[in-house]
PDB file of all heavy atoms in Angstrom:
ATOM      1  N   GLY A1042      13.094  -9.781   0.919  1.00  0.00           N
ATOM      2  CA  GLY A1042      13.273 -11.162   0.483  1.00  0.00           C
ATOM      3  C   GLY A1042      12.335 -12.180   1.102  1.00  0.00           C
ATOM      4  O   GLY A1042      12.476 -13.379   0.848  1.00  0.00           O
ATOM      5  N   GLU A1043      11.369 -11.738   1.900  1.00  0.00           N
ATOM      6  CA  GLU A1043      10.461 -12.706   2.544  1.00  0.00           C
ATOM      7  C   GLU A1043       9.388 -13.164   1.560  1.00  0.00           C
ATOM      8  O   GLU A1043       8.814 -12.350   0.837  1.00  0.00           O
ATOM      9  CB  GLU A1043       9.776 -12.062   3.758  1.00  0.00           C
ATOM     10  CG  GLU A1043      10.718 -11.566   4.832  1.00  0.00           C
ATOM     11  CD  GLU A1043      11.359 -12.690   5.637  1.00  0.00           C
ATOM     12  OE1 GLU A1043      10.933 -13.862   5.494  1.00  0.00           O
ATOM     13  OE2 GLU A1043      12.293 -12.386   6.402  1.00  0.00           O
ATOM     14  N   LEU A1044       9.105 -14.474   1.603  1.00  0.00           N
ATOM     15  CA  LEU A1044       8.151 -15.041   0.638  1.00  0.00           C
ATOM     16  C   LEU A1044       6.829 -15.378   1.331  1.00  0.00           C
ATOM     17  O   LEU A1044       6.446 -16.540   1.428  1.00  0.00           O
ATOM     18  CB  LEU A1044       8.764 -16.303   0.007  1.00  0.00           C
ATOM     19  CG  LEU A1044      10.087 -16.089  -0.729  1.00  0.00           C
ATOM     20  CD1 LEU A1044      10.747 -17.415  -1.057  1.00  0.00           C
ATOM     21  CD2 LEU A1044       9.874 -15.287  -2.002  1.00  0.00           C
ATOM     22  N   ARG A1045       6.188 -14.350   1.875  1.00  0.00           N
ATOM     23  CA  ARG A1045       4.941 -14.573   2.622  1.00  0.00           C
ATOM     24  C   ARG A1045       3.939 -13.482   2.293  1.00  0.00           C
ATOM     25  O   ARG A1045       4.327 -12.361   1.966  1.00  0.00           O
ATOM     26  CB  ARG A1045       5.202 -14.438   4.139  1.00  0.00           C
ATOM     27  CG  ARG A1045       5.720 -15.620   4.849  1.00  0.00           C
ATOM     28  CD  ARG A1045       5.623 -15.375   6.363  1.00  0.00           C
ATOM     29  NE  ARG A1045       6.404 -14.235   6.798  1.00  0.00           N
ATOM     30  CZ  ARG A1045       7.719 -14.249   7.023  1.00  0.00           C
ATOM     31  NH1 ARG A1045       8.407 -15.350   6.838  1.00  0.00           N
ATOM     32  NH2 ARG A1045       8.336 -13.159   7.428  1.00  0.00           N
ATOM     33  N   LEU A1046       2.640 -13.795   2.478  1.00  0.00           N
ATOM     34  CA  LEU A1046       1.618 -12.754   2.297  1.00  0.00           C
ATOM     35  C   LEU A1046       1.237 -12.095   3.623  1.00  0.00           C
ATOM     36  O   LEU A1046       0.649 -11.010   3.637  1.00  0.00           O
ATOM     37  CB  LEU A1046       0.367 -13.331   1.632  1.00  0.00           C
ATOM     38  CG  LEU A1046       0.533 -13.710   0.157  1.00  0.00           C
ATOM     39  CD1 LEU A1046      -0.777 -14.238  -0.401  1.00  0.00           C
ATOM     40  CD2 LEU A1046       1.003 -12.513  -0.674  1.00  0.00           C
ATOM     41  N   SER A1047       1.545 -12.755   4.742  1.00  0.00           N
ATOM     42  CA  SER A1047       1.337 -12.151   6.066  1.00  0.00           C
ATOM     43  C   SER A1047      -0.074 -11.585   6.262  1.00  0.00           C
ATOM     44  O   SER A1047      -0.234 -10.469   6.757  1.00  0.00           O
ATOM     45  CB  SER A1047       2.372 -11.053   6.316  1.00  0.00           C
ATOM     46  OG  SER A1047       3.662 -11.590   6.292  1.00  0.00           O
ATOM     47  N   ASN A1048      -1.080 -12.368   5.840  1.00  0.00           N
ATOM     48  CA  ASN A1048      -2.469 -11.976   6.110  1.00  0.00           C
ATOM     49  C   ASN A1048      -2.817 -10.636   5.462  1.00  0.00           C
ATOM     50  O   ASN A1048      -3.564  -9.840   6.009  1.00  0.00           O
ATOM     51  CB  ASN A1048      -2.705 -11.922   7.636  1.00  0.00           C
ATOM     52  CG  ASN A1048      -4.178 -11.959   8.013  1.00  0.00           C
ATOM     53  OD1 ASN A1048      -5.028 -12.327   7.198  1.00  0.00           O
ATOM     54  ND2 ASN A1048      -4.491 -11.552   9.233  1.00  0.00           N
ATOM     55  N   TYR A1049      -2.264 -10.417   4.272  1.00  0.00           N
ATOM     56  CA  TYR A1049      -2.477  -9.141   3.588  1.00  0.00           C
ATOM     57  C   TYR A1049      -3.295  -9.344   2.313  1.00  0.00           C
ATOM     58  O   TYR A1049      -2.889 -10.104   1.418  1.00  0.00           O
ATOM     59  CB  TYR A1049      -1.115  -8.523   3.238  1.00  0.00           C
ATOM     60  CG  TYR A1049      -1.192  -7.139   2.620  1.00  0.00           C
ATOM     61  CD1 TYR A1049      -1.820  -6.087   3.286  1.00  0.00           C
ATOM     62  CD2 TYR A1049      -0.628  -6.885   1.379  1.00  0.00           C
ATOM     63  CE1 TYR A1049      -1.876  -4.821   2.733  1.00  0.00           C
ATOM     64  CE2 TYR A1049      -0.674  -5.605   0.821  1.00  0.00           C
ATOM     65  CZ  TYR A1049      -1.303  -4.586   1.505  1.00  0.00           C
ATOM     66  OH  TYR A1049      -1.356  -3.321   0.956  1.00  0.00           O
ATOM     67  N   LEU A1050      -4.445  -8.723   2.207  1.00  0.00           N
ATOM     68  CA  LEU A1050      -5.257  -8.682   0.979  1.00  0.00           C
ATOM     69  C   LEU A1050      -5.439 -10.049   0.315  1.00  0.00           C
ATOM     70  O   LEU A1050      -5.304 -10.177  -0.906  1.00  0.00           O
ATOM     71  CB  LEU A1050      -4.618  -7.691  -0.021  1.00  0.00           C
ATOM     72  CG  LEU A1050      -4.536  -6.232   0.414  1.00  0.00           C
ATOM     73  CD1 LEU A1050      -3.832  -5.390  -0.667  1.00  0.00           C
ATOM     74  CD2 LEU A1050      -5.920  -5.638   0.680  1.00  0.00           C
ATOM     75  N   LEU A1051      -5.748 -11.070   1.129  1.00  0.00           N
ATOM     76  CA  LEU A1051      -5.802 -12.432   0.588  1.00  0.00           C
ATOM     77  C   LEU A1051      -6.828 -12.573  -0.539  1.00  0.00           C
ATOM     78  O   LEU A1051      -6.601 -13.278  -1.514  1.00  0.00           O
ATOM     79  CB  LEU A1051      -6.107 -13.421   1.714  1.00  0.00           C
ATOM     80  CG  LEU A1051      -5.088 -13.425   2.854  1.00  0.00           C
ATOM     81  CD1 LEU A1051      -5.489 -14.437   3.926  1.00  0.00           C
ATOM     82  CD2 LEU A1051      -3.683 -13.730   2.344  1.00  0.00           C
ATOM     83  N   TRP A1052      -7.927 -11.909  -0.404  1.00  0.00           N
ATOM     84  CA  TRP A1052      -8.978 -11.952  -1.442  1.00  0.00           C
ATOM     85  C   TRP A1052      -8.545 -11.144  -2.670  1.00  0.00           C
ATOM     86  O   TRP A1052      -8.625 -11.591  -3.806  1.00  0.00           O
ATOM     87  CB  TRP A1052     -10.272 -11.383  -0.827  1.00  0.00           C
ATOM     88  CG  TRP A1052     -11.401 -11.195  -1.789  1.00  0.00           C
ATOM     89  CD1 TRP A1052     -11.598 -10.152  -2.650  1.00  0.00           C
ATOM     90  CD2 TRP A1052     -12.509 -12.076  -1.994  1.00  0.00           C
ATOM     91  NE1 TRP A1052     -12.743 -10.322  -3.372  1.00  0.00           N
ATOM     92  CE2 TRP A1052     -13.325 -11.495  -2.980  1.00  0.00           C
ATOM     93  CE3 TRP A1052     -12.892 -13.302  -1.425  1.00  0.00           C
ATOM     94  CZ2 TRP A1052     -14.516 -12.086  -3.424  1.00  0.00           C
ATOM     95  CZ3 TRP A1052     -14.084 -13.875  -1.867  1.00  0.00           C
ATOM     96  CH2 TRP A1052     -14.873 -13.281  -2.857  1.00  0.00           C
ATOM     97  N   GLN A1053      -8.047  -9.945  -2.403  1.00  0.00           N
ATOM     98  CA  GLN A1053      -7.777  -8.990  -3.489  1.00  0.00           C
ATOM     99  C   GLN A1053      -6.557  -9.381  -4.329  1.00  0.00           C
ATOM    100  O   GLN A1053      -6.398  -8.920  -5.452  1.00  0.00           O
ATOM    101  CB  GLN A1053      -7.546  -7.589  -2.889  1.00  0.00           C
ATOM    102  CG  GLN A1053      -8.727  -7.005  -2.118  1.00  0.00           C
ATOM    103  CD  GLN A1053      -8.769  -7.414  -0.649  1.00  0.00           C
ATOM    104  OE1 GLN A1053      -8.235  -8.435  -0.236  1.00  0.00           O
ATOM    105  NE2 GLN A1053      -9.420  -6.588   0.161  1.00  0.00           N
ATOM    106  N   LEU A1054      -5.675 -10.224  -3.773  1.00  0.00           N
ATOM    107  CA  LEU A1054      -4.442 -10.566  -4.488  1.00  0.00           C
ATOM    108  C   LEU A1054      -4.597 -11.793  -5.391  1.00  0.00           C
ATOM    109  O   LEU A1054      -3.602 -12.309  -5.918  1.00  0.00           O
ATOM    110  CB  LEU A1054      -3.299 -10.833  -3.490  1.00  0.00           C
ATOM    111  CG  LEU A1054      -2.814  -9.637  -2.662  1.00  0.00           C
ATOM    112  CD1 LEU A1054      -1.765 -10.082  -1.639  1.00  0.00           C
ATOM    113  CD2 LEU A1054      -2.223  -8.549  -3.555  1.00  0.00           C
ATOM    114  N   ALA A1055      -5.839 -12.243  -5.588  1.00  0.00           N
ATOM    115  CA  ALA A1055      -6.061 -13.512  -6.309  1.00  0.00           C
ATOM    116  C   ALA A1055      -5.277 -13.604  -7.616  1.00  0.00           C
ATOM    117  O   ALA A1055      -4.705 -14.644  -7.925  1.00  0.00           O
ATOM    118  CB  ALA A1055      -7.557 -13.718  -6.551  1.00  0.00           C
ATOM    119  N   TYR A1056      -5.237 -12.519  -8.383  1.00  0.00           N
ATOM    120  CA  TYR A1056      -4.550 -12.572  -9.692  1.00  0.00           C
ATOM    121  C   TYR A1056      -3.405 -11.563  -9.784  1.00  0.00           C
ATOM    122  O   TYR A1056      -2.970 -11.200 -10.878  1.00  0.00           O
ATOM    123  CB  TYR A1056      -5.560 -12.345 -10.829  1.00  0.00           C
ATOM    124  CG  TYR A1056      -6.444 -13.546 -11.008  1.00  0.00           C
ATOM    125  CD1 TYR A1056      -7.767 -13.531 -10.543  1.00  0.00           C
ATOM    126  CD2 TYR A1056      -5.951 -14.701 -11.595  1.00  0.00           C
ATOM    127  CE1 TYR A1056      -8.574 -14.650 -10.673  1.00  0.00           C
ATOM    128  CE2 TYR A1056      -6.753 -15.826 -11.728  1.00  0.00           C
ATOM    129  CZ  TYR A1056      -8.059 -15.800 -11.272  1.00  0.00           C
ATOM    130  OH  TYR A1056      -8.841 -16.907 -11.400  1.00  0.00           O
ATOM    131  N   THR A1057      -2.925 -11.130  -8.649  1.00  0.00           N
ATOM    132  CA  THR A1057      -1.880 -10.114  -8.619  1.00  0.00           C
ATOM    133  C   THR A1057      -0.507 -10.727  -8.914  1.00  0.00           C
ATOM    134  O   THR A1057      -0.209 -11.828  -8.455  1.00  0.00           O
ATOM    135  CB  THR A1057      -1.885  -9.461  -7.212  1.00  0.00           C
ATOM    136  OG1 THR A1057      -3.177  -8.905  -6.992  1.00  0.00           O
ATOM    137  CG2 THR A1057      -0.832  -8.383  -7.085  1.00  0.00           C
ATOM    138  N   GLU A1058       0.305 -10.004  -9.659  1.00  0.00           N
ATOM    139  CA  GLU A1058       1.687 -10.438  -9.901  1.00  0.00           C
ATOM    140  C   GLU A1058       2.538 -10.092  -8.677  1.00  0.00           C
ATOM    141  O   GLU A1058       2.315  -9.053  -8.039  1.00  0.00           O
ATOM    142  CB  GLU A1058       2.260  -9.721 -11.136  1.00  0.00           C
ATOM    143  CG  GLU A1058       1.530 -10.030 -12.426  1.00  0.00           C
ATOM    144  CD  GLU A1058       1.688 -11.485 -12.858  1.00  0.00           C
ATOM    145  OE1 GLU A1058       2.750 -12.080 -12.583  1.00  0.00           O
ATOM    146  OE2 GLU A1058       0.739 -12.015 -13.459  1.00  0.00           O
ATOM    147  N   LEU A1059       3.494 -10.947  -8.370  1.00  0.00           N
ATOM    148  CA  LEU A1059       4.313 -10.732  -7.171  1.00  0.00           C
ATOM    149  C   LEU A1059       5.739 -10.362  -7.549  1.00  0.00           C
ATOM    150  O   LEU A1059       6.296 -10.905  -8.507  1.00  0.00           O
ATOM    151  CB  LEU A1059       4.346 -12.003  -6.312  1.00  0.00           C
ATOM    152  CG  LEU A1059       2.994 -12.667  -6.005  1.00  0.00           C
ATOM    153  CD1 LEU A1059       3.205 -13.903  -5.131  1.00  0.00           C
ATOM    154  CD2 LEU A1059       2.062 -11.691  -5.300  1.00  0.00           C
ATOM    155  N   TYR A1060       6.308  -9.461  -6.789  1.00  0.00           N
ATOM    156  CA  TYR A1060       7.725  -9.122  -6.965  1.00  0.00           C
ATOM    157  C   TYR A1060       8.354  -9.060  -5.575  1.00  0.00           C
ATOM    158  O   TYR A1060       7.938  -8.245  -4.735  1.00  0.00           O
ATOM    159  CB  TYR A1060       7.878  -7.764  -7.658  1.00  0.00           C
ATOM    160  CG  TYR A1060       9.324  -7.358  -7.874  1.00  0.00           C
ATOM    161  CD1 TYR A1060      10.031  -7.772  -9.010  1.00  0.00           C
ATOM    162  CD2 TYR A1060       9.989  -6.564  -6.944  1.00  0.00           C
ATOM    163  CE1 TYR A1060      11.354  -7.396  -9.208  1.00  0.00           C
ATOM    164  CE2 TYR A1060      11.314  -6.181  -7.132  1.00  0.00           C
ATOM    165  CZ  TYR A1060      11.986  -6.606  -8.269  1.00  0.00           C
ATOM    166  OH  TYR A1060      13.292  -6.233  -8.472  1.00  0.00           O
ATOM    167  N   VAL A1061       9.298  -9.954  -5.333  1.00  0.00           N
ATOM    168  CA  VAL A1061       9.982  -9.936  -4.036  1.00  0.00           C
ATOM    169  C   VAL A1061      11.329  -9.253  -4.217  1.00  0.00           C
ATOM    170  O   VAL A1061      12.147  -9.680  -5.030  1.00  0.00           O
ATOM    171  CB  VAL A1061      10.160 -11.371  -3.489  1.00  0.00           C
ATOM    172  CG1 VAL A1061      10.991 -11.354  -2.212  1.00  0.00           C
ATOM    173  CG2 VAL A1061       8.802 -11.995  -3.225  1.00  0.00           C
TER     174      VAL A1061
END
Side-chain angles (χ1 to χ4, degrees):
E1043 301 287 350
L1044 301 168
R1045 276 192 299 279
L1046 289 181
S1047 299
N1048 198 17
Y1049 185 57
L1050 297 178
L1051 301 180
W1052 173 279
Q1053 299 87 336
L1054 294 175
Y1056 287 104
T1057 301
E1058 297 294 328
L1059 311 181
Y1060 180 86
V1061 174

